[in-house]
Amino acid sequence: MEQGVGKAFGKYVAFNVMGALGLSCYILADTYFVAAGAGAEGLAALNLAIPVYSFINGLGLMTGMGGATAFAIAGGRADDGKKRTIFTQVACVDLVISLLFSAGGIFFATPLSAALGADSQVLEKTSVYLRILMIFAPMFMFNNLLVCFVRNDGNPKRSMAAMVLGSLSNIVLDYVFIMVFHWGMFGAAVATGIAPIVSMAVLTGHLRSGSCGFGLRRGRLRPRLMAECAALGMSSLIVEVSAGVVMIVFNGLAAAAAGNTGIAAYGVLANLALVITSIFTGIGQGIQPILSRFYGEGNKPAMNQVYGLAIAASAAFALGIYAVCAVFARPVVGAFNHQGDPVLEAIAVRGLRIYFAGFLFAGVNVVTAAFFSAVSQPGRSFAVSMLRGFVVILPMAFILAAALGLDGVWLSMPASELVVAVFCLILYVWGKRTASGDGGPPYQKGDPKGPLNGGVAVGKHARRPVCEKKLYEKHSL
């Protein structure tokens, strides 16, 4: 079993880290080419608009991750009736939300840009980028939905390929639209909006295959099931939304300390941070199908083993990334400082070495929130995400900024991640000692009647046998 868990972990996590890295390059490519084509003002405008992308992406992940988690748990419990209806329910939610975003982009892009902090120098650039981004909201949300379901339907390789190819198309189109056609912020936004269309084109191959286990089904809407999926995906939403809110707050604090140059410097850090965070997100998303399946089967030892592997992997990544960024901070920042602004460089280099220390602890927090969500403990996942996203970092930012200025803004990130990491480890250890299943099937370790040995649960957890040879082979990890 240990070899099986390790093999499954390596397969799912590797594919999802690569895919998440590719997906994060949406904004990083925009940052690079906007910096080359529009300078510091373009960077500031981009950074002001990114929080809205975080809201859109977060809602797509809430329905996608939440629905896919419920889908995997239902598969582990052989609850085929529920499993067949989940995709339709969350797709309806996505459709309504994404159309509201599109309408908002058409009619309210300029006042929203002003509300986000765009002044007269960058208002036009911000509103152009924001309008196109919001119009493409259905593409972003449905792409997230399909990526999550295809991954949980046993095809992580195709999910990874879709995210990477979508990101590559974004990079190529950024170059063409900004550097060749000189479309500026409009070109950057259009390139970003086309990327999920390319990704979905790749994902449709799974939908056409005979192995696809989900799709649209006729039937009544089930609000309770929608709420269940939303609860399971809430931590993903909080992660994205909090990133947007924190970015808005940090933009204001950076602007108060150093004007638009401060915002541009923070933009470099924030967009690089998106790429690094995507590694931890990829680990969390990679372990989710495995954990949800094991949870549905009642296999607690395997669940704990997966968590330990995920923590070890995130720690290794964090140490390597921080070492590289600390040593090569100047050339890393220089890649986005095409105009050679010495003030921007000085602020960003110092900020990078302080701010990025937080990733030594962030991996623990992201993985722990994903763990709790995957094993149907949305309350704990929500608590971790709220602490990390709002409750700790925002007061920390204001307090340290008042005491230390711009250095305090950068320091608030590692300080808050450390506090939350301690809480995460306490919550996990406490949960192992006190929890007796938290709603999962009541199998005991080594139970010969457990689902991996041909048996079924009893009482309210009773299900038809789930490990007949063909069925188990079909869903094996």
Side-chain angles (χ1 to χ4, degrees):
M1 175 56 68
E2 289 185 2
Q3 290 182 346
V5 171
K7 183 178 180 180
F9 177 86
K11 172 185 174 183
Y12 274 80
V13 168
F15 285 139
N16 281 283
V17 167
M18 288 187 286
L21 278 170
L23 191 61
S24 71
C25 289
Y26 276 138
I27 303 300
L28 188 63
D30 283 349
T31 303
Y32 179 84
F33 287 110
V34 166
E41 284 188 4
L43 276 177
L46 178 67
N47 207 45
L48 290 167
I50 285 176
V52 176
Y53 171 81
S54 296
F55 283 107
I56 297 170
N57 196 50
L59 287 165
L61 285 174
M62 180 188 74
T63 55
M65 288 295 292
T69 298
F71 175 82
I73 292 174
R77 295 176 177 173
D79 189 350
D80 291 340
K82 180 178 181 180
K83 183 179 175 181
R84 283 193 297 266
T85 65
I86 290 172
F87 182 79
T88 302
Q89 304 295 318
V90 291
C92 291
V93 174
D94 269 9
L95 180 63
V96 173
I97 295 174
S98 63
L99 290 178
L100 290 174
F101 270 108
S102 294
I106 293 171
F107 297 108
F108 303 110
T110 299
L112 180 57
S113 299
L116 290 169
D119 60 19
S120 58
Q121 287 183 294
V122 297
L123 180 61
E124 182 179 357
K125 288 184 174 67
T126 306
S127 61
V128 166
Y129 188 88
L130 196 58
R131 179 174 291 108
I132 302 301
L133 202 69
M134 294 176 71
I135 289 172
F136 277 96
M139 310 306 169
F140 293 120
M141 294 189 67
F142 276 96
N143 180 54
N144 278 333
L145 181 66
L146 287 173
V147 164
C148 293
F149 269 82
V150 169
R151 180 193 303 125
N152 279 266
D153 204 28
N155 203 342
K157 184 182 292 185
R158 185 175 288 273
S159 291
M160 179 271 292
M163 290 189 285
V164 170
L165 289 174
S167 182
L168 288 175
S169 72
N170 178 213
I171 294 170
V172 172
L173 292 175
D174 265 331
Y175 174 77
V176 173
F177 293 162
I178 297 174
M179 309 306 294
V180 179
F181 292 172
H182 303 289
W183 286 356
M185 301 300 291
F186 173 80
V190 171
T192 301
I194 291 174
I197 299 175
V198 174
S199 177
M200 285 190 286
V202 176
L203 294 169
T204 54
H206 181 79
L207 301 180
R208 294 194 299 267
S209 70
S211 62
C212 182
F214 65 90
L216 296 174
R217 303 282 190 272
R218 289 185 177 180
R220 63 184 179 84
L221 295 179
R222 299 170 60 183
R224 178 176 291 182
L225 180 55
M226 292 179 179
E228 177 187 342
C229 294
L232 291 173
M234 186 60 67
S235 66
S236 296
L237 172 64
I238 295 299
V239 167
E240 294 294 325
V241 170
S242 65
V245 172
V246 168
M247 190 171 285
I248 292 171
V249 171
F250 276 41
N251 280 336
L253 294 173
N260 282 335
T261 302
I263 296 177
Y266 173 59
V268 174
L269 303 185
N271 286 292
L272 287 171
L274 283 176
V275 177
I276 298 171
T277 303
S278 72
I279 296 175
F280 305 132
T281 302
I283 294 172
Q285 291 179 351
I287 63 175
Q288 178 268 311
I290 316 171
L291 286 170
S292 296
R293 182 69 51 77
F294 284 142
Y295 175 76
E297 294 172 347
N299 192 338
K300 292 182 184 178
M303 289 159 49
N304 292 325
Q305 185 180 351
V306 170
Y307 178 76
L309 289 170
I311 292 294
S314 64
F317 273 118
L319 286 170
I321 289 166
Y322 184 71
V324 170
C325 290
V327 173
F328 300 104
R330 198 168 301 278
V332 168
V333 171
F336 301 92
N337 186 19
H338 292 272
Q339 296 178 338
D341 187 332
V343 178
L344 189 153
E345 179 182 283
I347 294 173
V349 167
R350 182 171 177 81
L352 187 148
R353 288 172 175 155
I354 299 173
Y355 189 90
F356 279 29
F359 291 117
L360 299 173
F361 316 108
V364 173
N365 303 331
V366 173
V367 166
T368 303
F371 172 83
F372 287 136
S373 179
V375 300
S376 196
Q377 296 180 20
R380 295 180 183 181
S381 179
F382 179 78
V384 172
S385 299
M386 284 295 294
L387 283 173
R388 179 173 181 261
F390 299 104
V391 176
V392 178
I393 192 169
L394 293 182
M396 193 82 73
F398 284 109
I399 293 169
L400 292 179
L404 302 173
L406 203 52
D407 280 354
V409 178
W410 309 143
L411 185 60
S412 64
M413 192 272 198
S416 61
E417 293 287 5
L418 173 59
V419 171
V420 179
V422 172
F423 172 81
C424 284
L425 294 177
I426 292 172
L427 188 62
Y428 175 76
V429 172
W430 176 78
K432 282 186 65 177
R433 291 179 177 177
T434 60
S436 59
D438 298 310
Y443 301 113
Q444 300 299 318
K445 180 179 179 180
D447 186 351
K449 297 184 180 296
L452 297 180
N453 296 295
V456 294
V458 295
K460 68 177 182 178
H461 298 288
R463 297 283 188 271
R464 60 184 176 80
V466 298
C467 65
E468 299 175 49
K469 184 176 181 182
K470 290 184 180 179
L471 182 61
Y472 180 72
E473 288 178 351
K474 178 179 178 183
H475 295 292
S476 66
L477 296 170

